[in-house]
Amino acid sequence: MDGLLSIGRNPTNDFRVHDATVSSFHCELLITGGTVLVRDLNSTNGTFIDDEPVHEAILRPDQILRLGNAQLRLDSQPAPEPVKIAIPKIKSESPAVQTHLLDGSLACLNHPGVPAVVRCPHCDKAFCEDCVRSLRLKGGQTRLFCPACSGPCDPIPTAPAPKKKQSLLARLTQTIRIRK
């Protein structure tokens, strides 16, 4: 990691040292190609490498850098191996498609052979009585909720069943009353 690091008591430094004998902006480290150059920034108590005062010098591994009463040592540890992150591939299923029954009415999204009785206006999906979630309110009212998005569902209006054609005898008995 090449770059310039500032060291001192001031919180704006890259490396902050909480010691009264360390100046606010004590020194800086110039790191290039594995070499560390220490440069004193006119500190009050001086910068030392292995107890030798320095204005600008190379800091080698295992040497002690002293700033006031604070002592720092440069370790010679190899950089850690980068962490490998593997993201598994997730097989996604295609979303279910709303189908219709033979009579043209909507089928339940989860049960394609069963007629849908409610439709969600939020996600526009239709479901049967078994799929929809119901909540009974005080007073006996029931609210229906979508299993896909938890939005409120509306009942699907059903067409009235076609009236059965009456026979001639049935029509006659409705119009003619026989008295005894």
Side-chain angles (χ1 to χ4, degrees), residues 84-154:
K84 293 180 183 178
I85 299 174
I87 300 173
K89 291 185 180 182
I90 299 173
K91 294 180 182 178
S92 63
E93 296 179 18
S94 59
V97 178
Q98 196 79 52
T99 59
H100 290 81
L101 298 173
L102 293 176
D103 65 356
S105 63
L106 278 174
C108 174
L109 186 67
N110 297 330
H111 306 102
V114 178
V117 294
V118 294
R119 177 180 230 140
C120 177
H122 294 270
C123 65
D124 201 37
K125 294 177 181 171
F127 298 97
C128 66
E129 288 180 356
D130 292 337
C131 293
V132 73
R133 290 187 238 140
S134 62
L135 175 67
R136 188 171 302 275
L137 301 174
K138 186 176 179 182
Q141 289 181 329
T142 303
R143 299 218 32 214
L144 304 173
F145 294 95
C146 176
C149 73
S150 297
C153 288
D154 298 328

Side-chain angles (χ1 to χ4, degrees), residues 30 33 35 43 49 53 63 77 91 104 108 115 120 123-124 172 178:
L30 179 63
T35 304
S43 61
I49 295 178
Q63 286 186 318
Q77 294 180 353
K91 294 180 182 178
C108 174
C120 177
C123 65
D124 201 37
L172 282 175
I178 303 174

Side-chain angles (χ1 to χ4, degrees), residues 9 18-23 26 43-46 67-70:
R9 241 184 21 250
H18 298 277
D19 188 312
T21 61
V22 175
S23 297
H26 199 99
S43 61
T44 305
N45 293 320
L67 315 173
N69 290 334

